[in-house]
Amino acid sequence: MPILRELPANDQDWPGDLMDPDDVPRPIAAFGIIGFTNGIELAPHRHRKAQLLLAPRGVLTCEAESGLWLVPPNCALWIPAETLHSLKVSGTVDGYNAFIDPAVAAILPAHCCTVSATPLLTALLMRAASLPQLYPEDGPDARLVTVLLDEIAAAPEERLHLPMPTDARLRRLVALMMADPGQRGTMEQWAKRVGMSERTLARLLSRETGMSFGQWRQQLTILLALQRMAEGAPVQQVALDLGYESASSFVTMFRKALGSPPAQYMARQRSAEPLRNP
């Protein structure tokens, strides 16, 4: 598969004589997308094959299985076969995709997740994107694909998932909070904004996400903070943008949630940033 400069409008519009990845009769069909300057936004869709996505440049978000996943440049997104999902990548985009046949995906996660993209996993995915569409089913290319599958299976999951409710009022609440994340109103104030009582909000959110209002808002805050920091915003500015009175209170929350302060977390992630394809 090639490095693409534009995405096909539909399954019939793959460039030249290339096949839709779902139809490629190989364990993996991989390709790269380079230099998309206006981002990418794909409406809900599904594939016969599972999908692994890595965006070394651009911030990837995916909604699937009643959840929202944020995928920083140092991570990859795993989407099982036949999972309905929508995708958005903001900013200038470089990315790599691997479509994996269900027959070889049995050892891979059965649920959507964000996984750490080690330098080896990244290099293997980039190399797979340059393989011929119908690479030989034995020999070096096939062995590379086998190692890539092993690396995906071994990749640790990251806690970058936000359960998403389906109730219309809660979806409106989500939209309001994401549009104005610096608004640190109380649960009662947010409940009134979407026309329900505090008690109803707490009950519905717990039923649909398994989280309390405070837990859910904190996870949303973490995802938004990681998105901003991945785009280069300093911790002080991120804390202010997200409604914290001081950077120290934001750092304390972040450390408790992810095990290390923001600067250390991002430094560790950047040290494993993937190589750019020449």
Side-chain angles (χ1 to χ4, degrees):
M1 298 292 283
I3 300 298
L4 302 179
R5 303 293 171 176
E6 61 179 322
L7 287 176
N10 55 58
D11 290 347
Q12 287 74 46
D13 289 341
W14 285 88
D17 59 354
L18 294 176
M19 301 169 64
D20 177 349
D22 264 355
D23 298 328
V24 176
R26 292 293 184 272
I28 285 182
F31 66 90
I33 51 177
I34 299 296
F36 285 42
T37 57
N38 295 320
I40 298 171
E41 189 162 358
L42 300 178
H45 62 288
R46 65 179 84 238
H47 309 287
R48 182 184 69 83
K49 294 183 177 181
Q51 186 177 11
L52 183 77
L53 300 96
L54 171 71
R57 184 164 56 157
V59 178
L60 170 65
T61 57
C62 171
E63 185 170 350
E65 295 183 341
S66 299
L68 183 72
W69 281 262
L70 181 141
V71 191
N74 53 293
C75 293
L77 176 67
W78 171 254
I79 304 172
E82 299 292 353
T83 298
L84 185 66
H85 61 284
S86 60
L87 293 170
K88 181 177 181 180
V89 190
S90 57
T92 299
V93 180
D94 293 346
Y96 296 89
N97 286 260
F99 290 85
I100 300 173
D101 194 281
V104 298
I107 63 171
L108 303 176
H111 56 278
C112 280
C113 57
T114 301
V115 299
S116 294
T118 64
L120 177 56
L121 173 57
T122 299
L124 288 167
L125 181 56
M126 293 173 67
R127 179 69 181 86
S130 68
L131 295 179
Q133 185 173 224
L134 298 177
Y135 58 84
E137 294 188 85
D138 54 15
D141 291 345
R143 291 195 293 271
L144 181 143
V145 165
T146 298
V147 176
L148 174 56
L149 291 170
D150 288 341
E151 282 299 300
I152 297 171
E157 291 188 26
E158 295 283 342
R159 292 178 290 176
L160 301 179
H161 165 237
L162 181 72
M164 292 290 280
T166 57
D167 179 89
R169 292 167 295 177
L170 293 182
R171 296 290 295 199
R172 181 166 173 249
L173 174 68
V174 172
L176 289 170
M177 295 181 76
M178 293 187 73
D180 187 14
Q183 174 57 253
R184 306 297 295 178
T186 65
M187 182 165 65
E188 181 181 10
Q189 291 169 331
W190 281 110
K192 287 181 178 179
R193 292 185 67 179
V194 293
M196 66 174 76
S197 69
E198 182 178 0
R199 183 175 180 179
T200 299
L201 171 58
R203 184 180 71 250
L204 283 177
L205 195 62
S206 176
R207 185 180 71 192
E208 296 205 9
T209 70
M211 303 174 80
S212 69
F213 177 80
Q215 291 169 330
W216 190 91
R217 180 162 65 175
Q218 176 176 290
Q219 186 67 3
L220 172 61
T221 298
I222 290 169
L223 295 187
L224 293 174
L226 288 171
Q227 183 177 34
R228 283 162 167 74
M229 288 188 292
E231 293 169 344
V235 171
Q236 179 75 35
Q237 187 60 53
V238 171
L240 294 175
D241 290 346
L242 296 179
Y244 284 82
E245 294 183 358
S246 68
S248 62
S249 58
F250 166 73
V251 168
T252 298
M253 178 280 296
F254 191 98
R255 184 193 298 113
K256 288 181 178 179
L258 295 183
S260 59
Q264 182 179 330
Y265 181 91
M266 295 305 295
R268 185 173 67 248
Q269 302 297 340
R270 291 189 180 108
S271 70
E273 277 187 355
L275 301 170
R276 295 287 301 280
N277 209 25

